[in-house]
Amino acid sequence: MFYLYPIISTFVMSFQQVYPGQVDFIGWSNYGKLNNPEFKVALHNSFRYTVYTIALLIPIPLLLSVLLNTGNRTYNSLYRSILYVPSLVSIVVAGTIMRLLLASSPRSIVNVIAALFGAEPRQWLLGGPTQAMVLLLILALWRWVGVNIIYFLSGLQNIPDELYEAADIDGASGLQKLWRITIPLLKRTTIFVTTISIFGGFAMFEESFILWAGKPSPNNVGLTIVGHLYNKGFQEGEMGMASAIGIVLLIIVFTLSVSLLKFFGFFDEEGRR
């Protein structure tokens, strides 16, 4: 009821032109309209953001989880809690706080700190597409690193200590143990984290919308597929067009996820072990 029906309804609506109190079937016209510059920019931005977040949210949490899995357990529990807390904060709250920190006013916190080092006040949110993407990635790191650390820590608990003890006897270094024991045995966890990172990357919308208060980001770098869907469906009232965008997004994410699982042999008997 709550998953299958909306998908079917959206699929049907993607072939319709929806007006208040009136629905007309128009065939593939909505899909044909997707061949426009705005959708291409949104698609490109979504792919870039997803690739960058995967490149950051896999190795960094993995290394941090390895560090947190050793040493003083009391301190490690404290560090785990500190890193996990940001995931409990609403993205609306997190984005609003970050927007206030980076405000162009000389009295904003970041500009005040910059002034202590002799720097002039800057418009951090309007500094160009590269800087805008960096800000989005910083927000993603702050919010999701702790979650992925928990996933990797759960995977580390399933690695027998005897393997590390045998490696110590053979004189293996910490880097060798990481490369030859930890990373290979975290394969299933890594696949899972990568898959949900694909979902999260292509679903990104609130971060950009809140960070720039609903206004266009520099060079539209914050415009994603979901943002384009929102604009068409709720700003311009083209629900049929928005449904077509949603179906295309579903196909892209499904194809990438299945391809990833297939590449790592997840569907094979050996890959599921």
Side-chain angles (χ1 to χ4, degrees):
M1 180 183 298
F2 295 105
Y3 290 95
L4 188 58
Y5 174 76
I7 293 175
I8 296 174
S9 179
T10 302
F11 181 75
V12 173
M13 194 181 297
S14 68
F15 296 98
Q16 299 173 336
Q17 192 169 38
V18 182
Y19 298 105
Q22 181 181 351
V23 176
D24 297 327
F25 279 91
I26 57 174
W28 295 90
S29 297
N30 288 324
Y31 291 95
K33 293 178 183 177
L34 293 180
N35 188 22
N36 64 78
E38 189 176 7
F39 179 75
K40 292 177 181 178
V41 169
L43 185 63
H44 178 256
N45 290 338
S46 292
F47 268 103
R48 282 183 60 202
Y49 180 81
T50 302
V51 170
Y52 292 156
T53 51
I54 290 175
L56 294 173
L57 290 174
I58 300 298
I60 294 177
L62 192 153
L63 294 176
L64 289 175
S65 64
V66 171
L67 294 175
L68 291 173
N69 198 46
T70 58
N72 190 297
R73 294 185 179 275
T74 302
Y75 286 113
N76 286 347
S77 298
L78 176 63
Y79 295 145
R80 293 179 194 179
S81 301
I82 293 173
L83 290 169
Y84 186 74
V85 163
S87 65
L88 304 177
V89 179
S90 166
I91 190 61
V92 175
V93 174
T96 302
I97 292 174
M98 189 169 183
R99 189 176 75 238
L100 294 174
L101 292 175
L102 298 169
S104 58
S105 170
R107 298 181 180 179
S108 67
I109 294 179
V110 174
N111 277 331
V112 169
I113 295 175
L116 296 177
F117 297 92
E120 296 292 329
R122 296 181 57 183
Q123 294 183 334
W124 299 94
L125 295 174
L126 302 176
T130 301
Q131 185 170 303
M133 179 61 73
V134 170
L135 294 178
L136 288 172
L137 295 175
I138 290 174
L139 185 56
L141 278 172
W142 177 80
R143 184 168 171 78
W144 298 114
V145 161
V147 176
N148 289 353
I149 285 176
I150 298 300
Y151 290 137
F152 281 118
L153 281 172
S154 66
L156 288 172
Q157 303 303 317
N158 295 323
I159 300 178
D161 294 333
E162 292 79 5
L163 295 177
Y164 294 108
E165 293 172 359
D168 289 332
I169 294 174
D170 291 337
S173 64
L175 185 61
Q176 289 175 323
K177 289 187 288 185
L178 174 67
W179 186 254
R180 297 185 178 275
I181 299 177
T182 305
I183 293 179
L185 293 181
L186 284 177
K187 176 182 176 181
R188 289 193 302 172
T189 305
T190 303
I191 293 173
F192 172 75
V193 173
T194 304
T195 303
I196 64 173
S197 296
I198 291 175
F199 295 157
F202 278 96
M204 194 275 282
F205 164 66
E206 293 95 336
E207 292 88 336
S208 175
F209 187 83
I210 298 299
L211 206 56
W212 283 279
K215 301 176 182 178
S217 55
N219 204 27
N220 259 344
V221 72
L223 177 65
T224 61
I225 299 180
V226 178
H228 187 46
L229 185 155
Y230 172 83
N231 291 337
K232 288 296 180 182
F234 298 99
Q235 297 284 357
E236 302 176 18
E238 297 186 24
M239 297 303 296
M241 182 74 168
S243 298
I245 296 172
I247 293 299
V248 171
L249 176 60
L250 174 64
I251 293 173
I252 291 173
V253 174
F254 179 79
T255 302
L256 289 176
S257 300
V258 172
S259 300
L260 175 70
L261 297 176
K262 182 67 176 178
F263 176 78
F264 284 105
F266 187 81
F267 298 111
D268 302 332
E269 183 178 352
E270 182 178 352
R272 291 192 295 266
R273 294 177 181 175

